Amino acid sequence: KQWYQRRVRGAPAILPIPNDRTESYIEMIDKYLTEDVQMVVTVVPSERDDRYSAIKQLCYQRHPVAQQVIRTATLSQPSTLKAKCVSLACQMINKLGGALWTVNIPLRNAMVVGIDAYHDPSSRGFNSAIALVASLDRAYSQFYSDSRTEVKGMESSEQLHQLMTTALRHY
């Protein structure tokens, strides 16, 4: 399944967290995170890097799912609430694969590809990476992306060839 093909299933579950410990957030999210969950929205009382990082790690690595962390301060000012809710909704739609806007490009059956390489200047040449992003649809609003770190003895062009071949298969 691809993100943009998903539909919302059921009402959101509202799960109160008993305290502000990072572990409490992680335990609650982990307990209720199943394959049916499309997005985790976490409302937190304050900005704490340890909690934010733990939620991101859980939702990106252990259970890959779109997620949004919102501070209560963001939602507590009535004068800016509407604009902030619109901004949050746009971010959430985008994270679920929705296109907020598109551009009419007259090219048909074209894939737009972007490539970047990174070379760590502090290393002896073994910490390089190459990344690729490629459009998948006519509206240029859905993308495939991947990256590779340097493999000793393999040319960057071979890694780029692998990335491009995979992107073309997705297209």
Side-chain angles (χ1 to χ4, degrees):
K1 290 183 181 178
Q2 294 191 356
W3 284 102
Y4 61 88
Q5 293 174 329
R6 289 188 166 184
R7 302 288 181 253
V8 174
R9 296 179 297 271
I14 299 173
L15 308 169
I17 308 295
N19 55 54
D20 195 32
R21 292 177 36 241
T22 298
E23 297 80 20
S24 298
Y25 285 87
I26 298 307
E27 287 171 11
M28 186 65 75
I29 293 169
D30 200 30
K31 181 178 178 180
Y32 288 94
L33 205 52
T34 65
E35 285 187 22
D36 291 335
V37 173
Q38 294 175 282
M39 175 171 263
V40 172
V41 178
T42 311
V43 180
V44 297
S46 61
E47 191 171 327
R48 284 198 3 231
D49 288 341
D50 64 321
R51 178 180 51 223
Y52 182 80
S53 295
I55 293 169
K56 293 279 188 186
Q57 181 180 16
L58 174 67
C59 294
Y60 282 145
Q61 294 175 354
R62 288 184 26 209
H63 299 287
V65 66
Q67 57 78 38
Q68 181 72 48
V69 178
I70 307 166
R71 290 184 303 121
T72 53
T74 301
L75 305 174
S76 63
Q77 296 180 347
S79 62
T80 60
L81 183 60
K82 183 178 178 181
K84 288 185 179 180
C85 284
V86 168
S87 176
L88 285 167
C90 288
Q91 289 177 44
M92 292 163 65
I93 289 167
N94 211 6
K95 288 177 181 182
L96 290 173
L100 299 178
W101 56 83
T102 61
V103 177
N104 185 14
I105 299 175
L107 293 174
R108 300 224 184 262
N109 299 320
M111 173 191 280
V112 176
V113 178
I115 301 165
D116 196 12
Y118 170 76
H119 306 286
D120 186 350
S122 65
S123 75
R124 300 259 181 230
F126 293 109
N127 289 330
S128 297
I130 188 166
L132 175 141
V133 61
S135 63
L136 297 176
D137 64 343
R138 288 183 61 188
Y140 305 97
S141 63
Q142 299 296 319
F143 298 91
Y144 167 79
S145 65
D146 198 358
S147 62
R148 304 278 163 90
T149 54
E150 182 179 50
V151 176
K152 190 174 181 179
M154 181 182 274
E155 291 291 325
S156 295
S157 61
E158 177 61 26
Q159 290 181 311
L160 179 58
H161 178 265
Q162 292 172 357
L163 290 168
M164 191 65 197
T165 300
T166 306
L168 285 167
R169 284 189 186 122
H170 279 84
Y171 183 76

